Amino acid sequence: SGGSVPGQEVKMPSLSPTMTEGTIISWTKKEGDAIAPGDVLCEIQTDKAVMSFETEEEGVLAKILVPSGTKDVKVGSLIALIVGEGEDWKDVAIPVAGAAPTPSPAAAAATPPSAAAKTAAPSHEPHNFGPAVLRLLEQYQLSSSQVTPTGRNKKLLKGDVLKYIADNNLQPKPPKPVPPPGQHISAAGPGATPSTAEAPLPPPKPRTGYTDHELSNMRKTIAKRLTMSKTEIPHAYSQVEAQIDSLLGLRKQLAQVGIKVSLNDFVIKAVALALRQCPYMNTLYINNQAVPHPSVDISIAVATDAGLITPIIKSADLKSVDQISAEVRELANKARQGKLQLHEFQGGSFTISNLGMFGIAEFSAIINPPQCGILAVGGGRSMFTGDWKAVTLMTSTLSYDGRAMAEDEVAEFMAVLQGYLENPAALMMPPEAKLRVAPAQS
């Protein structure tokens, strides 16, 4: 406040394409710390995840203007100041927020002398004094134009105002009365009787006994995107049941040799191979046309305290089940800790949402645009066949974009997926191999 060293502004960044505001979770640097390009200044919660804000500047972090925990900070807002190395960071000049712009010469000439005497706006450069000076001017109801500045570049200093007050033997003046909400002070003064009765304030709303919970930026974005998806995309659905006893047996065998993978890891691999075999399903809907995606990048729905987020297993068709398992665990942990980077959750060509571990037998999911499909996977359940043989069935429900995919294409994809789930040995086939699926009975 009132410093003389000009600082370089650090503004709230946009860390995702849809981010308009964010929450500063914590500052990793403190005032007076040296910084270099690539250093993390702070952790910011965007509309999608908690991300690290790396600086591209070199110098000293002079002033943190927005403290940790501040919510709804608009993109482009001033959050900190940096000074050059060797400069006095404690004497950094802090911009005065909300200062009035300098009037043009023509406008100044048109202002009557009486009006100019009443205004307290400074006549020299705006923002050319700090908050301490502003408080003194307001306390003594002075105009900055009345005081001769002695600071660098005609900056008005606190000592200049104090000298003017002492030279003129001024006393603080009582603050101007502030009317309560819904009322105003008449031109005749606060003691004058108003010509018309003021409207009474509305009665307070009765308490309902309920508590409102503020939505996080992530949940607001999720709500916005899901609403857009359901209203703009013609959702169509297809469902298939797969007998997964062989798959469970293979998983048990792998566990016996020290390879621990989940059922969901097999599902990811099966979906990836089915998408590779049916590339028309691996598309995005952009600008009213279906655009093939060059790689099979599977988005996995992960529940966090802030909401659902979808980290991506890239080129999942080229990875083994144990590689997929390790990557899923790593990305899920980062998602729950809010440490995902933008490239780890932005994009994807197809989404899988699995609620089987919560005892859900089947459900349908909402498409994540611009993707054209999302597979909702339920849990395995024991059933008896006609000859009283016990089997384990798993239901998978596909939500797909009816604008981009035809029913016969979807039916072929679901049949291929069922084949991979019921024949887990096929998941180990080389990349160029294809699973043969019996043609559907007419």
Side-chain angles (χ1 to χ4, degrees):
S1 58
S4 59
V5 178
Q8 183 172 346
E9 296 183 346
V10 179
K11 296 186 177 181
M12 186 71 165
S14 177
L15 298 178
S16 77
T18 57
M19 177 180 172
T20 58
E21 59 186 25
T23 298
I24 296 181
I25 300 298
S26 63
W27 287 90
T28 58
K29 296 286 187 180
K30 60 181 183 296
E31 294 179 0
D33 283 355
I35 58 174
D39 286 353
V40 176
L41 283 184
C42 58
E43 301 288 338
I44 297 175
Q45 183 184 44
T46 71
D47 55 343
K48 296 184 179 295
V50 176
M51 303 184 66
S52 299
F53 174 32
E54 297 182 357
T55 181
E56 299 177 357
E57 307 299 333
E58 185 175 8
V60 176
L61 181 59
K63 188 67 177 177
I64 294 175
L65 300 175
V66 181
S68 300
T70 305
K71 299 180 179 180
D72 302 329
V73 183
K74 299 293 184 183
V75 170
S77 301
L78 183 62
I79 61 174
L81 293 170
I82 296 174
V83 297
E85 186 177 355
E87 293 184 313
D88 185 3
W89 60 271
K90 295 182 180 179
D91 193 35
V92 65
I94 301 176
V96 179
T102 305
S104 63
T111 303
S114 59
K118 294 179 182 179
T119 181
S123 60
H124 47 76
E125 296 182 9
H127 303 288
N128 214 20
F129 51 82
V133 173
L134 180 61
R135 285 193 295 270
L136 280 174
L137 294 177
E138 292 176 345
Q139 185 178 2
Y140 288 84
Q141 296 186 17
L142 295 172
S143 168
S144 58
S145 60
Q146 297 174 253
V147 185
T148 304
T150 62
R152 184 187 304 175
N153 298 324
K154 295 185 177 181
K155 184 178 182 64
L156 187 60
L157 305 179
K158 182 178 179 181
D160 299 333
V161 182
L162 291 175
K163 182 177 182 300
Y164 181 86
I165 293 172
D167 291 346
N168 292 274
N169 196 24
L170 299 179
Q171 297 296 324
K173 296 185 179 181
K176 296 179 180 179
V178 178
Q183 299 182 9
H184 66 278
I185 300 297
S186 66
T193 302
S195 57
T196 58
E198 298 288 352
L201 294 176
K205 294 182 179 180
R207 298 183 64 86
T208 62
Y210 296 98
T211 301
D212 293 333
H213 293 277
E214 184 180 358
L215 293 178
S216 66
N217 291 334
M218 181 186 294
R219 288 198 178 275
K220 290 178 183 178
T221 300
I222 291 172
K224 180 180 178 181
R225 287 180 58 81
L226 292 184
T227 302
M228 179 189 71
S229 176
K230 258 305 196 180
T231 54
E232 295 183 4
I233 298 176
H235 281 57
Y237 304 92
S238 182
Q239 192 174 80
V240 69
E241 281 188 339
Q243 185 176 321
I244 59 171
D245 296 277
S246 298
L247 191 59
L248 294 175
L250 176 59
R251 182 191 176 202
K252 186 176 181 179
Q253 293 176 3
L254 291 175
Q256 291 174 349
V257 296
I259 302 177
K260 296 183 178 181
V261 294
S262 69
L263 180 60
N264 194 54
D265 301 327
F266 284 106
V267 173
I268 295 170
K269 178 66 175 180
V271 170
L273 293 179
L275 288 172
R276 187 177 68 189
Q277 188 165 333
C278 306
Y280 45 81
M281 298 292 297
N282 194 51
T283 58
L284 306 178
Y285 196 79
I286 302 174
N287 295 329
N288 295 321
Q289 58 181 343
V291 180
H293 199 276
S295 58
V296 179
D297 299 338
I298 306 293
S299 301
I300 308 299
V302 175
T304 70
D305 292 339
L308 281 177
I309 192 168
T310 52
I312 303 169
I313 308 296
K314 297 186 177 180
S315 300
D317 57 319
L318 303 178
K319 296 175 179 176
S320 64
V321 176
D322 57 326
Q323 287 176 321
I324 290 174
S325 179
E327 194 167 336
V328 167
R329 285 196 299 269
E330 179 186 0
L331 290 174
N333 287 334
K334 293 176 71 173
R336 295 187 180 103
Q337 296 170 10
K339 300 297 183 181
L340 284 176
Q341 298 297 312
L342 184 62
H343 68 275
E344 293 175 320
F345 65 86
Q346 194 76 27
S349 59
F350 190 92
T351 298
I352 297 174
S353 180
N354 191 337
L355 295 180
M357 67 284 296
F358 298 107
I360 304 300
E362 61 180 76
F363 68 105
S364 60
I366 300 176
I367 298 170
N368 181 24
Q371 296 177 11
C372 293
I374 180 170
L375 189 72
V377 181
R381 62 193 190 280
S382 297
M383 302 285 290
F384 286 99
T385 62
D387 56 356
W388 294 101
K389 178 183 178 182
V391 296
T392 305
L393 299 180
M394 183 180 71
T395 301
S396 300
T397 305
L398 174 70
S399 305
Y400 64 94
D401 190 337
R403 301 170 299 181
M405 300 167 182
E407 287 82 355
D408 58 331
E409 296 174 334
V410 172
E412 181 182 3
F413 168 77
M414 296 297 277
V416 172
L417 175 62
Q418 183 186 38
Y420 278 118
L421 292 173
E422 294 184 345
N423 301 278
L427 300 177
M428 315 301 175
M429 295 192 304
E432 63 274 6
K434 288 187 177 182
L435 181 69
R436 293 185 179 181
V437 179
Q441 299 295 326
S442 58

